[in-house]
Amino acid sequence: MVLFPEIHSGIMNLLVEKRNLIVGILLLSGSIITFSQSKTDSVTHLREVTITQKALNPEIKSATPVQILSEKKIQTLNALLLSDAVKHFPGVTIKDYGGIGGLKTISVRGLGATHTAVVYDGIAVSDVQTGQIDIGRFTLDNVQSISLNSGQTDQIFQPARMFASASVLSIQTQKPVFSNRNITGKISMKAGSFGLINPSFTFHGKINRRLSASFNGDWLSANGKYPYTLHYGTQYTDSSSVEIRKNTDVKNIRLEGTLFAGFSEKSNGYLKAQFFNSERGLPGAVIFYNDKSTSSQRLQDNSFFTQANFTHRFSNRWAAQANAKFNRSGINYTDSAWMNSAQVLENTYNQREIYGSIAVMNSVTENLSFSAASDVSLNTMEANLHNFAYPGRLTWQSSLASKYATNRISLTGSLLLTQTYESVKSGVTADNQKKVSPFVSFSVKPLEEINFRIRSFYKNIFRMPSFNDLYYLRTGERKLRPEDAHQINLGITYSLSKLKWLENIDFSADMYHNRIKNKIVAKPSASLFEWTMTNFGTVHITGLDLHAEALIAFSEDISVETGVNYSYQHAVDMTDETNRTYGHQLPYTPFHSGSGRVNLINQWVNIAYSVIWSGVRYSNAQNYTENRLPAYSDHSISLNKTFIIDNLTFRPSIEFLNIFNKNYEVIRGFPMPGRSFRINITVNI
Amino acid sequence: MKRVNLLILTIFAILLSACEVEDIKKKTDLPNETVKLLVLSEGSFTNNNSTLAYYDLKNKTTDKDYFLTQNKRGLGETANDMIRYGSKVYIVMNGSSRIEIIDINTGKSIRQIPMFEGNVAKGPRQIISHNGKVYVSSFDDTVTRIDTASMTIDGSLKTGFDPEGMCVVGEKLYVANSGGLEWANGYEKTVSVVDLKTFSEIQELEVGINPVHLHADNQGDIYVVSNGDYGENPARFQRIDTKTNTVTDLNLNVTNFIVFQNKAYMYSYDYFTKKMSVKVFDCLTEKVINEHFISDGTILNIPYSIQIDPFNNDVYMTDAIDNSVSGDVFCFDKTGKLKFQVREVGINPNNIILLD
């Protein structure tokens, strides 16, 4: 809600203190929050403000570009899934295959989904089979904040794996906060168009002085039968018909439990377990004149993981943390209209991961610190495919990092060493890899009084070929090398507070240039049903990300919170001058894109408007008219109100999505639902 | 009065027209050269971007999406084959699972024949014509007979797995059963012999693994291209003597070919070495008579189809480049020299029809 000036400057003072500076950074970049629980236990709303408001906004101070969406901001985005919220980050291209159950992957700054790490409460979610994460699987009910970092996060006390991607999307779940009660919780129910039903609950319980626990459950179901207009040509005069999207139902369930331990002021940790199961139809691309071929494919996927973190501060100078994770996930894909003699295709894939990490930090002085971390992960995969290799990979990552930071200057350097060991049960193994990946960042605040900063970073990182790239049937190619990414960024941030009615305005602008070498692409092979993966590609990406956010307080009761993003991306194929695609923009990468939101807060009914838009892009590697996908915009508006009865906080809301009813296509052949609505009621106890 | 005037005027007009001298039309007004090309392109998988391109040789103009221009709708998904029969062109749409019949002069669609068996798309693959009927092979292991006068399906036949290429010799239809979808079980290796009168299979001949293309000379010999299993069993080129139904191996590397006036014009492409070659084979002497047809060093990236101009023996070929960008059409004269090239007609251009 409205930020009062006294608390604002109070936070400034509090957080300038060195120890809480570290805490603040840990807090916002994905480590455990209970470290600070003893400090902020009794000041609940202060803690809320730390995360949601601008005091020492990491978006402004960070040397690497970072965007953060707090729980409160996420609620104004009219979003159901993580992918809906992430569309509001600049520089992001979400490949959305439509509906609620469709696959959604995130590419940042033209690098591709395989270069984006997804981190859940400080530990990476990995999928070595495909190399990318379906972010449509995550709902937002238990999310406290989402942040997106280009390069890597601004802090150095983290597992080695957190240094290992070109971009990091980090999800932090809600942590228990107890004021005068030992049990708090939230029950929420969503319902909406196309048969959407989504009940969820969260309970936090305080067990004793040291232990508390959270339990969270989420069930989502929809039939997804939305109408759309199918255009058979590109001109208005060409024919079209209204169809209903079929086989796009989805049923998801997620159960999650976490045990938080605050052993002392110096040590704490958490232990979490999550079970997830999803059953959905795969409609495939819309095929002209044939709606039968899209109705037979189904996907069932499930996962179970358990992860833990333990952090201990030995002294003012030394701290250490240990992280561990065990993950088992499976996919069952069936096609009941498969044309071969068996008449049905059923593929089952299973993955397992065991992960462990130790990290140590030494704060030599108030401003200078060093860290070292070592991570080991073992990944294996099984599949019921003909002649499958049953691959395994042991990855050992070690990092060394150093950071020098004052109020006005920060200089960070890190080095990541990666060594992989590949194994197979049958056939030839892929090559082991050994890579060294450097990173350096710098930011400076030239003038003490003005909150203006200049920042830049350079990073050289890679992504390993996935198990599919290496071993899938005959498409896989054992000799694949990792795909390299070089990133350079130069940007400015500016923050202004208390300018008449303008409570706060933040602004950031970043110019970047990325290069991908040895891009892993599919090339035709002898059998035209299966292509072969090769390292064949160089991509140059130049771009600009602009972001602005403002909080305007008209009076004590009325305020407007607004944010806007604009991105420019020029991502071209620079592989070979003689290629017919040389100099053409990469498929599905718009030149211009952006998003915005305006949130009107008052004592009657709050109104939240949000929009995402994308300029023209091409569905093929050649930027020809016939491959053009038109620009689109998706507008949503919602009404909500919060009121308190007894000790219960009610928050009903109604959302109107895609109000101009456009069946735009992010991916050719996968139309989006048109106009729809959702009703939501949340009760906090 | 007015009516009488009108009558007089009418009689006058008739008399006047009868006085006009009309030239007697030359009876020998036969077509003598190709003036237009129709090029069919598959498009990209699931992109609904199959196209029929039209190229006017005289005016050197192209309409890359001629079907869309004439019909205000796209062709659909994965156009796999096309033939000309009489005054119509038959286009086989594999992804959209239907046959699109268009008028050869206007490009306008006359009839669409959906190819479905209940809720399952048949997935039609290739088409040939014979005696007022066209025969379509489909992924659901059938050959469908369509009557061209009524433009309706009037017969269906179960064959081996995944039939592809077909040809007719005498009153028998030969169908290559590729088994393409059975790759996990070693494909198929038969050619079905079908009696056209009863429209039933009378015999199966064993050929190489994964047979896909069949063309006959006028001596009753059928030449078969089998792709093998892309591993231990290599591609094969064989001859079936239809008088004795014996199969002979010809040790030649052939990807696809066409037979014209008892000569087989064949091309081969090796995905590993990326090398291509075009040869001419004499079907009467059963020998290669030209090892390097292209005489001026022109190279195609991925040759995708071949067609002969019956008037001047020009050889037309399409080039898929890399199977993902828009491909080209090449025209060579009969000495193998490049006459002209039409760039970027469509993605994976797989068929050319020459119109006079």
Side-chain angles (χ1 to χ4, degrees):
Chain A
M1 296 300 185
V2 180
L3 178 60
F4 293 104
E6 311 83 52
I7 297 174
H8 178 97
S9 52
I11 295 161
M12 289 293 289
N13 293 332
L14 191 71
L15 291 179
V16 152
E17 216 191 310
K18 168 202 57 174
R19 183 162 126 182
N20 289 356
L21 183 68
I22 297 170
V23 162
I25 294 167
L26 283 174
L27 208 123
L28 289 150
S29 66
S31 272
I32 31 81
I33 288 178
T34 52
F35 203 155
S36 65
Q37 208 163 2
S38 51
K39 281 273 165 195
T40 56
D41 236 18
S42 54
V43 188
T44 32
H45 71 269
L46 178 72
R47 205 173 159 284
E48 226 181 276
V49 161
T50 306
I51 294 164
T52 61
Q53 292 303 335
K54 313 294 180 263
L56 198 65
N57 189 355
E59 289 175 328
I60 295 297
K61 196 167 189 270
S62 174
T64 51
V66 63
Q67 289 291 315
I68 301 173
L69 284 171
S70 63
E71 187 180 348
K72 285 240 160 12
K73 282 196 196 139
I74 294 169
Q75 281 171 354
T76 67
L77 295 178
N78 307 318
L80 175 71
L81 304 169
L82 175 68
S83 48
D84 299 329
V86 170
K87 283 174 189 174
H88 287 268
F89 285 139
V92 159
T93 309
I94 302 285
K95 274 199 177 157
D96 190 334
Y97 288 80
I100 293 172
L103 173 72
K104 296 155 204 333
T105 60
I106 170 173
S107 164
V108 182
R109 295 186 166 187
L111 296 168
T114 49
H115 282 278
T116 311
V118 178
V119 174
Y120 194 74
D121 279 340
I123 298 182
V125 179
S126 72
D127 182 334
V128 186
Q129 177 185 340
T130 63
Q132 53 192 30
I133 307 292
D134 178 5
I135 59 170
R137 284 160 110 260
F138 300 88
T139 49
L140 296 166
D141 280 310
N142 68 331
V143 169
Q144 180 166 275
S145 74
I146 308 168
S147 69
L148 181 68
N149 254 289
S150 282
Q152 56 196 48
T153 68
D154 213 25
Q155 61 153 14
I156 60 169
F157 184 41
Q158 59 187 9
R161 198 188 240 178
M162 296 287 279
F163 294 94
S165 297
S167 318
V168 182
L169 176 66
S170 179
I171 304 159
Q172 279 290 323
T173 59
Q174 291 154 359
K175 307 294 186 287
V177 174
F178 305 105
S179 45
N180 48 11
R181 290 158 66 170
N182 280 356
I183 294 184
T184 61
K186 179 174 83 161
I187 298 175
S188 165
M189 177 69 172
K190 282 192 175 80
S193 303
F194 321 124
L196 173 72
I197 296 180
N198 177 211
S200 69
F201 71 88
T202 304
F203 286 107
H204 305 292
K206 188 168 179 179
I207 300 169
N208 60 41
R209 201 163 47 90
R210 294 202 167 92
L211 290 175
S212 56
S214 298
F215 193 54
N216 168 245
D218 191 303
W219 189 70
L220 183 130
S221 150
N223 66 40
K225 288 201 181 101
Y226 56 87
Y228 65 96
T229 306
L230 177 58
H231 296 278
Y232 296 101
T234 49
Q235 308 299 321
Y236 288 120
T237 46
D238 293 332
S239 64
S240 63
S241 63
V242 177
E243 308 287 327
I244 307 265
R245 200 75 168 112
K246 293 191 180 132
N247 192 32
T248 179
D249 56 293
V250 62
K251 268 192 187 59
N252 291 350
I253 183 165
R254 182 177 55 81
L255 295 168
E256 190 170 319
T258 316
L259 195 63
F260 297 95
F263 300 114
S264 70
E265 252 188 41
K266 293 187 180 181
S267 71
N268 53 57
Y270 79 82
L271 175 66
K272 177 189 292 279
Q274 188 202 87
F275 167 74
F276 174 85
N277 188 68
S278 165
E279 212 267 309
R280 55 188 138 153
L282 289 181
V286 165
I287 306 283
F288 283 2
Y289 322 122
N290 176 6
D291 67 353
K292 305 281 187 282
S293 292
T294 56
S295 300
S296 57
Q297 298 166 59
R298 310 282 307 170
L299 188 73
Q300 189 262 330
D301 71 287
N302 60 75
S303 76
F304 170 77
F305 75 78
T306 171
Q307 65 185 43
N309 165 283
F310 175 70
T311 307
H312 184 77
R313 257 212 332 165
F314 295 98
S315 65
N316 269 355
R317 286 183 51 172
W318 288 94
Q321 62 170 296
N323 289 283
K325 179 174 182 176
F326 166 75
N327 179 68
R328 176 195 60 72
S329 56
I331 293 177
N332 190 23
Y333 166 81
T334 52
D335 186 347
S336 57
W338 190 238
M339 286 288 207
N340 72 354
S341 54
Q343 295 292 294
V344 70
L345 180 70
E346 185 165 348
N347 284 332
T348 310
Y349 310 89
N350 283 303
Q351 290 189 66
R352 239 172 257 263
E353 176 179 76
I354 299 174
Y355 166 79
S357 161
I358 305 245
V360 169
M361 178 164 80
N362 178 16
S363 310
V364 177
T365 70
E366 201 178 291
N367 306 113
L368 180 64
S369 52
F370 292 90
S371 79
S374 200
D375 293 14
V376 173
S377 37
L378 178 63
N379 294 83
T380 55
M381 179 182 164
E382 302 167 348
N384 71 339
L385 298 172
H386 184 62
N387 273 346
F388 191 60
Y390 293 86
R393 175 186 294 161
L394 183 75
T395 309
W396 179 36
Q397 292 159 311
S398 296
S399 65
L400 283 172
S402 167
K403 180 168 179 170
Y404 176 78
T406 66
N407 261 354
R408 290 172 61 184
I409 289 183
S410 90
L411 184 62
T412 308
S414 75
L415 207 61
L416 174 74
L417 284 82
T418 309
Q419 170 88 55
T420 65
Y421 303 92
E422 308 274 340
S423 68
V424 285
K425 286 213 179 100
S426 89
V428 177
T429 49
D431 293 334
N432 295 342
Q433 302 292 338
K434 193 188 270 185
K435 304 278 276 180
V436 174
S437 311
F439 164 86
V440 66
S441 76
F442 171 69
S443 84
V444 65
K445 182 179 172 184
L447 302 164
E448 177 71 51
E449 322 79 52
I450 303 182
N451 218 351
F452 170 76
R453 281 176 169 77
I454 303 172
R455 63 180 173 197
S456 78
F457 83 83
Y458 165 74
K459 182 162 184 172
N460 176 5
I461 192 62
F462 65 96
R463 70 107 170 162
M464 285 293 294
S466 66
F467 281 154
N468 277 355
D469 293 335
L470 295 167
Y471 301 110
Y472 187 74
L473 298 174
R474 289 169 312 183
T475 319
E477 173 50 65
R478 311 287 192 272
K479 294 279 155 232
L480 279 180
R481 295 187 306 277
E483 198 177 282
D484 294 305
H486 298 260
Q487 301 167 276
I488 293 181
N489 184 83
L490 179 65
I492 56 166
T493 67
Y494 181 56
S495 177
L496 195 60
S497 304
K498 305 299 290 137
L499 190 72
K500 295 184 193 168
W501 34 259
L502 190 67
E503 275 297 318
N504 197 76
I505 183 163
D506 288 342
F507 174 74
S508 73
D510 286 281
M511 241 174 39
Y512 60 90
H513 183 75
N514 297 339
R515 284 194 186 189
I516 298 187
K517 290 194 165 46
N518 296 320
K519 188 174 163 79
I520 297 174
V521 290
K523 285 269 156 219
S525 72
S527 164
L528 283 182
F529 285 105
E530 298 154 13
W531 287 18
T532 313
M533 308 308 293
T534 60
N535 288 103
F536 183 73
T538 302
V539 180
H540 288 192
I541 306 147
T542 308
L544 174 70
D545 286 339
L546 298 175
H547 171 77
E549 249 175 51
L551 179 62
I552 304 163
F554 291 111
S555 73
E556 227 175 75
D557 296 320
I558 302 179
S559 60
V560 168
E561 202 263 319
T562 177
V564 65
N565 291 313
Y566 165 76
S567 292
Y568 169 74
Q569 273 188 58
H570 188 225
V572 287
D573 171 35
M574 298 295 274
T575 308
D576 186 347
E577 262 179 341
T578 61
N579 264 5
R580 301 255 176 126
T581 55
Y582 188 77
H584 288 239
Q585 178 90 341
L586 292 192
Y588 297 117
T589 310
F591 289 98
H592 308 276
S593 60
S595 65
R597 65 174 197 276
V598 179
N599 188 20
L600 176 67
I601 306 154
N602 57 75
Q603 58 178 325
W604 306 284
V605 175
N606 300 327
I607 303 175
Y609 161 79
S610 64
V611 61
I612 52 163
W613 66 271
S614 166
V616 161
R617 58 237 177 276
Y618 297 96
S619 61
N620 276 36
Q622 289 181 306
N623 300 160
Y624 293 149
T625 318
E626 59 262 24
N627 298 330
R628 198 171 221 249
L629 283 174
Y632 66 83
S633 59
D634 185 338
H635 307 253
S636 301
I637 192 160
S638 67
L639 307 169
N640 69 76
K641 186 168 175 60
T642 305
F643 53 89
I644 302 177
I645 298 177
D646 291 338
N647 269 331
L648 305 171
T649 308
F650 289 85
R651 187 179 183 275
S653 76
I654 179 162
E655 297 165 282
F656 300 98
L657 309 160
N658 199 352
I659 52 183
F660 296 113
N661 198 22
K662 301 269 179 231
N663 296 121
Y664 59 93
E665 288 176 354
V666 178
I667 304 286
R668 172 165 248 128
F670 291 85
M672 292 291 174
R675 194 178 295 133
S676 64
F677 76 95
R678 272 199 299 264
I679 300 177
N680 183 358
I681 174 126
T682 306
V683 182
N684 277 75
I685 58 173
Chain B
M1 274 308 279
K2 277 210 175 126
R3 277 213 189 146
V4 174
N5 282 348
L6 196 63
L7 188 63
I8 293 170
L9 269 169
T10 314
I11 295 168
F12 199 70
I14 293 170
L15 287 172
L16 208 62
S17 64
C19 291
E20 278 183 20
V21 176
E22 250 183 46
D23 286 330
I24 297 172
K25 283 213 158 39
K26 287 190 220 171
K27 290 279 194 300
T28 55
D29 213 8
L30 288 168
N32 59 359
E33 60 176 336
T34 298
V35 293
K36 297 176 287 217
L37 302 181
L38 285 177
V39 184
L40 186 71
S41 298
E42 295 167 6
S44 317
F45 190 55
T46 73
N47 272 8
N48 288 313
N49 58 353
S50 293
T51 50
L52 183 68
Y54 173 95
Y55 183 67
D56 187 319
L57 290 173
K58 286 258 179 323
N59 304 324
K60 295 199 175 45
T61 54
T62 324
D63 182 351
K64 288 190 190 166
D65 211 340
Y66 179 60
F67 184 87
L68 175 66
T69 313
Q70 299 302 98
N71 294 285
K72 303 249 172 287
R73 58 181 173 86
L75 256 182
E77 171 64 22
T78 310
N80 205 57
D81 200 5
M82 170 171 77
I83 54 164
R84 167 194 185 169
Y85 191 49
S87 63
K88 306 196 198 64
V89 170
Y90 299 77
I91 302 177
V92 177
M93 302 304 301
N94 175 257
S96 291
S97 203
R98 68 192 213 166
I99 312 295
E100 194 84 48
I101 305 177
I102 65 173
D103 178 278
I104 203 165
N105 294 310
T106 64
K108 288 211 192 316
S109 172
I110 308 168
R111 179 76 61 96
Q112 304 94 48
I113 301 181
M115 300 282 284
F116 291 88
E117 195 68 52
N119 266 345
V120 177
K122 288 167 81 77
R125 294 289 293 168
Q126 302 198 30
I127 185 168
I128 59 158
S129 59
H130 180 74
N131 221 358
K133 314 276 188 201
V134 289
Y135 298 86
V136 180
S137 57
S138 299
F139 266 153
D140 70 344
D141 312 331
T142 58
V143 169
T144 309
R145 186 179 66 197
I146 299 171
D147 181 73
T148 57
S150 63
M151 293 187 286
T152 55
I153 295 175
D154 71 357
S156 179
L157 162 76
K158 204 94 175 112
T159 60
F161 291 129
D162 313 316
E164 289 273 0
M166 300 168 283
C167 72
V168 173
V169 175
E171 278 305 301
K172 296 204 193 66
L173 170 72
Y174 293 78
V175 183
N177 300 311
S178 71
L181 295 175
E182 302 299 312
W183 57 266
N185 299 328
Y187 294 93
E188 250 271 42
K189 49 184 179 177
T190 60
V191 165
S192 294
V193 185
V194 176
D195 177 51
L196 283 177
K197 290 194 194 62
T198 59
F199 200 45
S200 55
E201 187 180 296
I202 53 177
Q203 195 178 359
E204 258 188 5
L205 305 173
E206 186 176 311
V207 292
I209 290 175
N210 194 1
V212 283
H213 300 297
L214 291 181
H215 297 287
D217 62 15
N218 61 15
Q219 308 286 301
D221 282 346
I222 297 178
Y223 297 87
V224 187
V225 167
S226 304
N227 281 341
D229 63 2
Y230 313 108
E232 291 164 7
N233 295 294
R236 283 162 85 176
F237 186 61
Q238 297 166 305
R239 184 182 90 241
I240 303 174
D241 182 337
T242 59
K243 298 187 195 66
T244 59
N245 275 342
T246 49
V247 180
T248 323
D249 257 291
L250 305 164
N251 287 324
L252 287 174
N253 219 342
V254 182
T255 306
N256 202 352
F257 68 109
I258 190 172
V259 176
F260 177 69
Q261 289 175 352
N262 286 323
K263 289 200 182 50
Y265 294 78
M266 45 182 61
Y267 64 83
S268 73
Y269 176 69
D270 187 322
Y271 272 94
F272 297 105
T273 62
K274 308 263 184 283
K275 285 205 173 17
M276 63 148 275
S277 73
V278 184
K279 297 188 206 267
V280 184
F281 176 91
D282 187 328
C283 301
L284 300 172
T285 64
E286 310 292 355
K287 281 192 175 44
V288 173
I289 52 174
N290 189 342
E291 287 281 351
H292 300 104
F293 172 75
I294 298 177
S295 55
D296 61 357
T298 306
I299 294 180
L300 274 68
N301 289 295
I302 298 182
Y304 217 58
S305 74
I306 190 163
Q307 182 64 275
I308 313 294
D309 185 329
F311 299 113
N312 54 16
N313 283 19
D314 279 353
V315 175
Y316 286 83
M317 292 185 71
T318 57
D319 183 353
I321 318 270
D322 65 0
N323 289 124
S324 65
V325 299
S326 197
D328 301 344
V329 171
F330 288 78
C331 176
F332 300 94
D333 66 22
K334 58 183 180 214
T335 70
K337 260 183 61 182
L338 182 67
K339 263 173 87 167
F340 65 86
Q341 180 182 356
V342 185
R343 283 177 64 103
E344 299 179 332
V345 292
I347 300 174
N348 292 326
N350 64 10
N351 236 294
I352 300 180
I353 287 180
L354 307 172
L355 303 176
D356 40 64

